[in-house]
Amino acid sequence: MAEHKIVYCNCTYARIIEKDVKQAVLQALSETGVAFTAVPDLCEMAAQKDPELARLMSTGPVKLAACYKRAVKGLCHSSGVTWNDDDIEVINMRETDAEGVVKALLNTEALS
Amino acid sequence: MTHIVLYEGPGAQSMQVDERLSLMSACLESGVRVEASNETEVDSDGPVCVIGYLDQDSAHSEKDNVQLFNLHELEQEEIIKAIEEKAQERKPWKPWFPVIDFDRCTNCMQCLTFCLFNVYGVENETITVANPNNCKTDCPACSRVCPEVAIMFPKYKAGPINGDEVNEQSLEREKMKVDISSLLGGDIYSALRTRSTESRTRFAKERDDERALKERQRCYKKLKEALDIPDSVLASLPDQDMIDMKRRAAMDDNQAEGGV
Ligand code: SF4
Ligand code: SF4
């Protein structure tokens, strides 16, 4: 993946991602000083058909820390956002530890 | 809704890591989107608050939609308070609604007929989640009636309903293959109501409070276990008149569109 955007979903309105993982990821991103966008809840953006979702997900390569790829893809579909599999890498914070998430977000080489 | 930019580009000094982190966390916990950015251009037409150690002639200052919070002049606590006030524009809602995996969906419409809260609709002859706000928080029942395991609730506790890959093991674990018809005989909601009416009748006839109550509880328990329906949803099931009205409305719509 070439130069990519970093997007972090905080899943604010549910407790499905461990708090420690979320905090450690945010902390690491804050420490590096890298540019990134943090959204409170991607599900809410999809439900509201927030145009910002399209800007984040379909304008060039993006690495997104959230939950399962199948869920995120479905959310994008539900709000009419084009899904380009080559450009979007979803890092699942429900299954990956903080170190793995940060590594995947910051590593500019393609991971999968 | 306002979004926040933590700006540390040209014309601004860097923040401390802790400062950046606590502002970031405060925004997210208040439900506000936030960007860490070094770009002088704000890519948004909506209201934006730019926070940073900004020089007098900051590049952001001339834009109409941009409000500046200068950390040289304001305490971090004051800024966080202002963010929290802006966040009050948001209606409290846990974003809980079905998400369809169109790689699996066959457009059979079973979810449409099952859900009595008008969450589903049809657009261009394709199933759609028309009213996500109508969905009952924490109720994943419709995902269990989808024969293709195509309905997800991303905030659900377990796979494959939470979006995890669908495999035989997870199907087994979540009892996705539960045959609803055999469980309670056809329309699950009407079965539930019949059971509850039957129990009431029996209750009246036999004056056997305990047995009637137990029968109802058994039925509810079965439903709850199989479909994971929360008590609040069971308690708010629509009555027969409402269901009939819904059915008639759907038929009228269908006829108006030239259906059979
Ligand atoms: S996309 Fe996933 S991580 Fe983000 S808010 Fe929805 S359920 Fe939570
Ligand atoms: S029940 Fe499942 S397969 Fe049928 S229309 Fe609904 S989502 Fe699609």
Side-chain angles (χ1 to χ4, degrees):
Chain A
M1 213 184 257
E3 183 91 353
H4 61 271
K5 269 193 299 258
I6 294 176
V7 181
Y8 162 88
C9 176
N10 195 55
C11 205
T12 298
Y13 308 111
R15 293 200 193 104
I16 54 167
I17 297 168
E18 286 193 33
K19 214 173 166 194
D20 289 354
V21 172
K22 293 198 286 184
Q23 259 166 2
V25 172
L26 258 190
Q27 165 105 30
L29 290 175
S30 299
E31 277 167 6
T32 59
V34 70
F36 70 102
T37 300
V39 301
D41 196 293
L42 215 73
C43 287
E44 182 175 58
M45 291 177 91
Q48 293 172 343
K49 302 206 182 336
D50 186 338
E52 179 62 18
L53 188 59
R55 200 183 67 80
L56 289 174
M57 301 301 287
S58 42
T59 52
V62 56
K63 290 193 182 202
L64 165 72
C67 56
Y68 293 99
K69 178 178 173 181
R70 201 164 73 91
V72 177
K73 188 176 173 186
L75 285 165
C76 286
H77 189 285
S78 71
S79 54
V81 173
T82 314
W83 182 273
N84 183 344
D85 221 26
D86 293 335
D87 268 356
I88 304 171
E89 183 182 346
V90 180
I91 299 130
N92 184 358
M93 292 193 285
R94 291 182 83 158
E95 298 275 349
T96 317
D97 63 17
E99 200 186 333
V101 175
V102 174
K103 222 166 151 185
L105 285 175
L106 298 178
N107 188 353
T108 44
E109 290 157 36
L111 288 163
S112 56
Chain B
M1 174 96 153
T2 306
H3 91 264
I4 307 285
V5 174
L6 302 186
Y7 178 70
E8 299 176 79
Q13 284 96 61
S14 294
M15 295 178 202
Q16 300 289 325
V17 172
D18 285 356
E19 216 168 12
R20 201 181 290 146
L21 183 61
S22 60
L23 283 165
M24 190 69 82
S25 302
C27 291
L28 293 171
E29 292 309 316
S30 306
V32 177
R33 175 164 54 88
V34 54
E35 271 172 57
S37 168
N38 295 328
E39 302 286 329
T40 47
E41 284 299 313
V42 176
D43 186 10
S44 174
D45 298 328
V48 181
C49 294
V50 175
I51 302 172
Y53 286 103
L54 308 169
D55 296 344
Q56 289 300 340
D57 52 351
S58 164
H60 289 294
S61 55
E62 284 156 32
K63 296 187 175 167
D64 288 345
N65 61 330
V66 175
Q67 189 182 356
L68 300 179
F69 288 99
N70 198 338
L71 283 161
H72 284 309
E73 293 157 11
L74 291 162
E75 292 294 324
Q76 205 193 101
E77 287 71 32
E78 290 175 83
I79 297 178
I80 290 178
K81 210 166 155 224
I83 294 169
E84 286 168 352
E85 270 164 24
K86 288 190 185 297
Q88 281 166 8
E89 296 162 25
R90 179 190 181 270
K91 279 198 208 124
W93 178 56
K94 174 175 174 179
W96 176 274
F97 54 94
V99 177
I100 298 173
D101 177 349
F102 281 96
D103 291 337
R104 300 186 69 87
C105 175
T106 55
N107 212 27
C108 72
M109 307 281 166
Q110 285 206 40
C111 48
L112 179 83
T113 31
F114 175 78
C115 176
L116 296 172
F117 302 104
N118 286 325
V119 171
Y120 294 92
V122 178
E123 212 180 283
N124 301 326
E125 296 178 16
T126 304
I127 189 77
T128 180
V129 177
N131 301 302
N133 294 356
N134 281 9
C135 190
K136 301 291 170 188
T137 303
D138 295 333
C139 177
C142 58
S143 65
R144 295 259 164 70
V145 300
C146 170
E148 307 300 331
V149 199
I151 299 176
M152 300 173 282
F153 286 87
K155 288 177 165 55
Y156 189 65
K157 55 181 184 273
I161 294 174
N162 61 12
D164 197 357
E165 287 312 314
V166 182
N167 58 40
E168 280 308 314
Q169 205 189 355
S170 55
L171 281 174
E172 184 55 36
R173 193 177 63 232
E174 279 296 314
K175 297 192 182 77
M176 298 288 289
K177 283 182 173 167
V178 64
D179 182 346
I180 307 298
S181 310
S182 69
L183 182 75
L184 282 168
D187 175 353
I188 196 157
Y189 287 131
S190 74
L192 181 63
R193 272 184 308 275
T194 314
R195 289 271 176 136
S196 117
T197 318
E198 276 170 5
S199 336
R200 271 201 300 270
T201 318
R202 205 174 307 135
F203 166 78
K205 276 186 195 149
E206 300 170 12
R207 291 195 189 147
D208 185 349
D209 315 27
E210 220 172 307
R211 195 168 349 135
L213 192 66
K214 267 193 190 140
E215 164 67 10
R216 258 169 102 178
Q217 280 170 343
R218 205 176 58 79
C219 178
Y220 272 37
K221 194 164 165 252
K222 219 170 175 184
L223 253 183
K224 278 178 58 157
E225 278 168 7
L227 303 186
D228 209 3
I229 303 179
D231 291 331
S232 55
V233 177
L234 287 176
S236 64
L237 290 179
D239 60 20
Q240 193 58 49
D241 291 346
M242 276 175 72
I243 295 164
D244 288 345
M245 254 169 62
K246 191 188 166 199
R247 199 167 288 152
R248 275 198 301 275
M251 283 171 72
D252 289 351
D253 282 355
N254 194 36
Q255 271 168 2
E257 281 165 19
V260 189

